[in-house]
Amino acid sequence: MFRTALRNVLAHKARLLMTVLAVMLGVAFVSGTFVFTDTVGKALSNQSRKSYDNVAVSVTSYGPGVRDASGKKAEPGLSQKTVDKIAALDGVASVSGRVQGFAGVADKHGKLIGNGWANTGANFAPAKDGKDPRYAFTDGTGPTAAGRIALDEDTARKGGYSTGDTVRVATNGPVKEYTLAGVFTTEDGAVNAGGSLVLFDTPVAQKLYLRPGYYDEVSVAAKAGASADALLSKIEPLIGDNAKAQTGAELADEQARNIEQGMAGMNQGLLAFGLIALFVSIFLIYNTFTMLVAQRTRELALLRAVGATRRQVKRSVLTEAFLVGLAASAAGLGVGVGLAVALRSAMDSFGAKIPAGDVVIAPNTVVIALVVGIVITMLAAWLPARRTAKIPPVAAMGSAHLPTTGKSLIVLNSVGGVLTALGIGLILLGASQGGDGRWTIGGGAFFTLVGVAVLIPMLSRPLIATVRPLLAKVFGVAGSLASQNAVRNPRRTGVTAGMLTIGLTLVTGLTVLGVTVGQAVDRMTTDNIKADYMVSMANHDTLDKAVLKPLRQIPGATVSPQIAGNIKIGDEYKAASGVTPGALEKVLALDVTHGSLASLAEGKVAVADKTADKAGLTVGKSFAAEYEDGRKTTLTVGAVYKENEFVSPYVLSDELVLKHTERPFIPNVYVKMEGGESEAAEQKVVEALGSNPAISVADKTDIRNEQGGIINLMLNIMYGLLGMALIIAVLGVVNTLAMSVYERTQEIGMLRAIGLDRGRVKNMIRLEAVVISLFGAVLGIGLGTFLAWALGQTFKNSIPGYELVIPFDRIGVFLLLAAVVGVLAAMWPARSAARLNMLTAIKTE
């Protein structure tokens, strides 16, 4: 029986090719995900460990603004006094202090080099030999004076800079010019992420990012023979409560764990799409083996007649599935490795450099790839194999196999109905649970998709019958025959359409959600922002408060910052925004329900309505509070406004917030120009900021595009990943039509003999494919819209103005693409059918 199974596999190579392709694609996605994440994770981990090779102990400050156990404000970092104490310990070879923050480099056209969030500045910390072990200089030297800097090699190349050139660098303050002292290479994560690295002389870096004489981090190198653990025990008593000390080995292990956790999210996301592709593959495999078994009814019955048992026949079919799954899994593993390498190269081309390292193919990746592919294939082939074993030996005497019994269809439809009802119930339950119901909706979506897939054969007859008159009227005999052929074998049609249904359910759901959220964000921006421009840092960090003065000096400009701060009420810190009284009303649309925002100028506070109701606050009521600097005060409510996404629940004057905040966080500054938006007005804002490349000046369109761009980017990524499932669905349509043409060889010969020309034969096959594709697409679009509605119910309260939007234009495109898929999938089967010799076809059994 094994030889029989092997012979059948080899005899039907072309028929099984698409099954192999489907399984291969799914396995390639799964194995490629593991190889990619393992490779990148190993490379990043090795890079991290390498950076701590010469570090015995690392001390990291918790940063400024933290209070010690006694309530006294802690130092802003590790002081030089502490560093000197560490350096004097026995066993310490050297101590290196580090300071870092944001630094953006302008190219020769004034544009920012890098992506903004990974543009970094740090200090050059030379050892006794005058070299900093973290950097290898390829040209020049490190900066050892106030007006000099060094750049990483990639940034210098992108900016066209060489040693001795003048470079404009922006931190959180005004742009300054420096002389380029040297160019270096580095494995710094910021540079590898597509950013830039600027090295300053240590006193300059301390002044820019912390405070003179203080460091963010200190690295301690040990003398030969000195124990890192012993040094750690000596250092810990010296650093106080505002810092943490770890051995280099501990820090390297922690970084490795963080990298692993960071990669886990990507791993799970990519695996989800791989499993979706494999789930769709089940339908194709099931269809293929069902049709292969049907074509070999007499052969299998003959085996029964000569003594083969039911178990042997079933085992024969499952052995075929095993061999197909094994071949497909092995091929998928190879393709997966190629995908991982290609994805790594693609990330490099987009500027996110992955550290050098070998491709990692872990043993568990190989095992998972083989097991998943084989199990999926055998699982999908089990039902056809079971049906095969029931073929009676007497079937060998005829050309027909036993038809599907009415009892089996009743059982299937009953199971499908129960699963669909359960799924829809879970989806509705999840929609009513709000944010906690997303997992419930996910479970319901799974049961609904499986249930609908089981019910599709029953649904195909009435739904396709509705378009039969139209097909007959438009395409004549070819259209009428196509609609009849599409429902001749409802089970096969259902399985084929099911693949497209699953793919388009996911695509439609994502699209409806994306468009709905995008329009809600667009309305939120349009309805709430009156300002012409929003000024912010390119890295989304804080603006320096020094930007306010030049902006306010622009003729005809109304300016208000949005300072993010806190006030302590009772035992809890509450988010508070600092704004400019009188200007706020002109740059943001706050809907005041009681009182007046003009009261902010009197030192009063405005409170969001929901916060006010919860705290029992009304206009004129006072409450005790504490500023960030620890000073206690009594604040009086001067206004109550409807909750707004662009300000915090408590709003105070910017003057008051700045007075009591040492390092204010200013994410945005809003600017309203007297004449509205124009190129001249925008240029005035840019020039007032010193043409700073690190500062973004966005108009309303830019703000909307930024938010919408993120959503569209996510949608495009999702489309690309779901494309794998849609490719498998197309293979399924091709497979079904090819098998259908093979089974109907005699029938097609008869049609040709009585006058149906080749063109009409091709049209008949094409129309059959289009009908099946559109049938699956309509079901998928309906289910996808329903799921999008349910998911939207779970987060609509967190997005102001959320209203479900059905993008009929995109849905129309999906239907058109489904029809195109049908036409393309029918090309080979239609050509084969049209080229059949009518006399040979008529004699075919």
Side-chain angles (χ1 to χ4, degrees):
M1 295 302 294
F2 177 78
R3 288 197 299 270
T4 301
L6 182 60
R7 178 185 60 79
N8 286 328
V9 171
L10 296 175
H12 303 110
K13 293 186 291 290
R15 301 180 203 174
L16 293 170
L17 176 61
M18 281 172 281
T19 300
V20 171
L21 284 174
V23 179
M24 182 188 74
L25 288 173
V27 171
F29 211 118
V30 172
S31 60
T33 296
F34 280 112
V35 172
F36 174 72
T37 53
D38 287 347
T39 299
V40 173
K42 184 70 173 177
L44 291 174
S45 180
N46 287 341
Q47 179 197 51
S48 175
R49 290 185 183 278
K50 183 179 178 182
S51 64
Y52 295 109
D53 279 348
N54 298 317
V55 178
V57 177
S58 176
V59 184
T60 305
S61 168
Y62 290 131
V66 179
R67 298 179 185 276
D68 61 21
S70 65
K72 181 182 178 182
K73 193 164 186 179
E75 293 184 298
L78 295 160
S79 68
Q80 186 64 50
K81 183 178 178 181
T82 302
V83 173
D84 292 340
K85 289 180 181 180
I86 294 173
L89 293 173
D90 290 336
V92 173
S94 64
V95 179
S96 174
R98 303 288 174 181
V99 184
Q100 68 174 18
F102 170 76
V105 181
D107 63 17
K108 293 185 177 179
H109 301 288
K111 301 295 183 182
L112 181 69
I113 299 174
N115 52 29
W117 60 268
N119 292 106
T120 308
N123 65 310
F124 176 67
K128 293 179 181 179
D129 60 0
K131 296 181 180 179
D132 190 326
R134 290 195 179 189
Y135 312 108
F137 279 81
T138 58
D139 188 24
T141 60
T144 54
R148 301 171 72 82
I149 61 166
L151 292 177
D152 68 272
E153 195 172 49
D154 286 345
T155 302
R157 175 180 51 79
K158 292 174 184 176
Y161 294 120
S162 57
T163 304
D165 287 350
T166 298
V167 182
R168 297 176 73 243
V169 179
T171 53
N172 290 341
V175 182
K176 294 183 180 179
E177 293 186 344
Y178 298 86
T179 300
L180 183 61
V183 176
F184 59 89
T185 60
T186 179
E187 290 296 323
D188 187 277
V191 177
N192 288 331
S196 61
L197 179 59
V198 183
L199 295 183
F200 300 93
D201 183 37
T202 295
V204 174
Q206 289 176 327
K207 185 177 179 181
L208 285 171
Y209 300 126
L210 207 55
R211 189 185 289 176
Y214 286 90
Y215 300 93
D216 293 312
E217 178 189 347
V218 171
S219 299
V220 181
K223 291 180 179 178
S227 166
D229 290 328
L231 282 177
L232 178 65
S233 64
K234 295 177 183 178
I235 291 171
E236 284 181 324
L238 303 177
I239 61 175
D241 297 329
N242 195 37
K244 177 183 179 181
Q246 294 173 281
T247 64
E250 289 174 342
L251 193 55
D253 290 339
E254 182 181 298
Q255 292 286 341
R257 287 193 297 271
N258 291 338
I259 290 169
E260 185 178 346
Q261 291 172 0
M263 298 300 295
M266 179 186 293
N267 196 348
Q268 292 169 4
L270 292 174
L271 276 178
F273 290 97
L275 293 176
I276 289 171
L278 286 170
F279 182 60
V280 175
S281 299
I282 290 176
F283 291 84
L284 190 149
I285 299 164
Y286 168 81
N287 231 8
T288 300
F289 276 91
T290 297
M291 290 185 281
L292 286 175
V293 166
Q295 291 172 10
R296 289 161 43 206
T297 299
R298 293 184 64 185
E299 174 191 331
L300 295 170
L302 188 59
L303 288 174
R304 290 289 316 281
V306 298
T309 64
R310 287 187 174 185
R311 181 175 295 180
Q312 285 178 312
V313 172
K314 182 178 178 180
R315 192 182 302 155
S316 172
V317 176
L318 289 176
T319 301
E320 289 183 51
F322 172 81
L323 294 173
V324 170
L326 180 62
S329 299
L333 178 61
V335 174
V337 174
L339 285 174
V341 173
L343 185 54
R344 179 174 172 173
S345 299
M347 291 186 70
D348 285 341
S349 66
F350 283 117
K353 291 187 175 181
I354 305 298
D358 296 331
V359 175
V360 178
I361 306 175
N364 65 311
T365 300
V366 178
V367 172
I368 289 172
L370 293 176
V371 169
V372 166
I374 292 170
V375 169
I376 289 292
T377 308
M378 294 187 69
L379 181 67
W382 178 81
L383 193 59
R386 180 174 175 272
R387 198 177 295 130
T388 298
K390 294 182 178 180
I391 297 176
V394 73
M397 307 302 174
S399 60
H401 62 84
L402 288 178
T404 302
T405 63
K407 181 181 178 181
S408 67
L409 290 176
I410 292 173
V411 171
L412 280 175
N413 291 336
S414 300
V415 170
V418 169
L419 289 174
T420 303
L422 174 63
I424 291 174
L426 288 173
I427 291 171
L428 293 174
L429 175 63
S432 67
Q433 292 175 331
D436 298 328
R438 289 166 196 165
W439 285 106
T440 304
I441 291 174
F446 174 78
F447 285 115
T448 302
L449 284 173
V450 174
V452 169
V454 175
L455 286 176
I456 282 180
M458 181 186 73
L459 297 173
S460 62
R461 287 184 182 276
L463 290 179
I464 293 177
T466 59
V467 298
R468 184 178 298 169
L470 178 64
L471 290 173
K473 184 176 181 179
V474 177
F475 299 100
V477 175
S480 180
L481 290 172
S483 60
Q484 293 176 30
N485 291 334
V487 294
R488 177 179 295 184
N489 190 328
R491 180 172 287 168
R492 181 191 302 164
T493 297
V495 173
T496 305
M499 290 182 276
L500 282 168
T501 297
I502 293 170
L504 280 170
T505 294
L506 299 172
V507 169
T508 303
L510 288 171
T511 301
V512 173
L513 274 178
V515 170
T516 299
V517 172
Q519 291 198 14
V521 171
D522 185 64
R523 285 195 299 271
M524 183 172 64
T525 303
T526 304
D527 294 344
N528 289 287
I529 296 181
K530 293 181 178 180
D532 297 314
Y533 302 103
M534 184 178 77
V535 177
S536 59
M537 291 295 294
N539 66 336
H540 303 292
D541 201 348
T542 179
L543 288 158
D544 191 285
K545 61 183 180 181
V547 304
L548 295 174
K549 184 177 179 180
L551 287 174
R552 286 170 173 159
Q553 290 176 345
I554 301 173
T558 301
V559 178
S560 174
Q562 200 279 76
I563 305 173
N566 293 287
I567 54 173
K568 189 176 181 181
I569 303 175
D571 295 328
E572 296 183 16
Y573 283 96
K574 304 292 185 179
S577 292
V579 300
T580 302
L584 174 64
E585 300 91 323
K586 297 180 180 180
V587 297
L588 291 177
L590 288 188
D591 188 356
V592 178
T593 57
H594 298 90
S596 171
L597 292 175
S599 63
L600 295 176
E602 303 168 8
K604 295 183 180 181
V605 61
V607 186
D609 53 356
K610 292 182 181 179
T611 301
D613 291 342
K614 187 176 179 180
L617 297 174
T618 57
V619 173
K621 190 168 185 178
S622 300
F623 59 92
E626 183 180 327
Y627 294 115
E628 289 188 37
D629 61 358
R631 182 179 174 183
K632 295 181 179 180
T633 187
T634 299
L635 294 173
T636 302
V637 178
V640 176
Y641 60 90
K642 285 188 177 180
E643 196 172 49
N644 191 289
E645 292 294 312
F646 291 87
V647 291
S648 301
Y650 292 87
V651 177
L652 298 90
S653 73
D654 54 352
E655 184 179 349
L656 200 57
V657 174
L658 291 172
K659 181 180 178 181
H660 296 286
T661 306
E662 183 179 0
R663 295 172 65 87
F665 184 80
I666 309 176
N668 305 310
V669 175
Y670 296 102
V671 181
K672 177 75 173 178
M673 300 297 287
E674 193 173 78
E677 290 183 24
S678 68
E679 289 186 14
E682 183 172 345
Q683 188 61 32
K684 288 180 182 179
V685 176
V686 171
E687 290 175 356
L689 295 168
S691 300
N692 192 324
I695 297 180
S696 166
V697 178
D699 58 22
K700 289 181 182 178
T701 302
D702 294 329
I703 298 170
R704 290 198 299 266
N705 289 344
E706 181 180 354
Q707 301 295 329
I710 295 171
I711 295 170
N712 288 331
L713 176 62
M714 291 178 63
L715 280 177
N716 290 334
I717 292 173
M718 297 293 188
Y719 289 157
L721 295 174
L722 287 173
M724 189 77 71
L726 293 176
I727 289 172
I728 294 172
V730 173
L731 292 175
V733 178
V734 175
N735 204 11
T736 296
L737 293 173
M739 293 294 189
S740 178
V741 168
Y742 179 83
E743 289 180 353
R744 287 155 39 204
T745 298
Q746 187 180 59
E747 175 189 323
I748 292 171
M750 290 293 296
L751 290 172
R752 292 277 288 113
I754 61 175
L756 195 69
D757 58 30
R758 289 184 175 179
R760 290 181 179 178
V761 170
K762 288 183 179 180
N763 281 342
M764 178 182 71
I765 303 299
R766 291 192 195 106
L767 289 172
E768 181 181 349
V770 170
V771 167
I772 293 174
S773 298
L774 288 176
F775 171 55
V778 169
L779 288 177
I781 289 170
L783 283 174
T785 304
F786 175 57
L787 285 175
W789 167 82
L791 283 171
Q793 296 301 300
T794 66
F795 56 73
K796 68 176 185 179
N797 291 332
S798 61
I799 302 178
Y802 179 92
E803 293 179 4
L804 184 69
V805 177
I806 300 177
F808 291 103
D809 53 343
R810 298 196 188 191
I811 287 176
V813 171
F814 294 158
L815 288 173
L816 179 61
L817 288 175
V820 171
V821 162
V823 172
L824 294 176
M827 288 179 64
W828 171 52
R831 184 169 177 270
S832 299
R835 295 180 64 185
L836 286 174
N837 183 288
M838 67 180 71
L839 296 179
T840 304
I842 290 172
K843 292 187 294 181
T844 301
E845 295 186 3

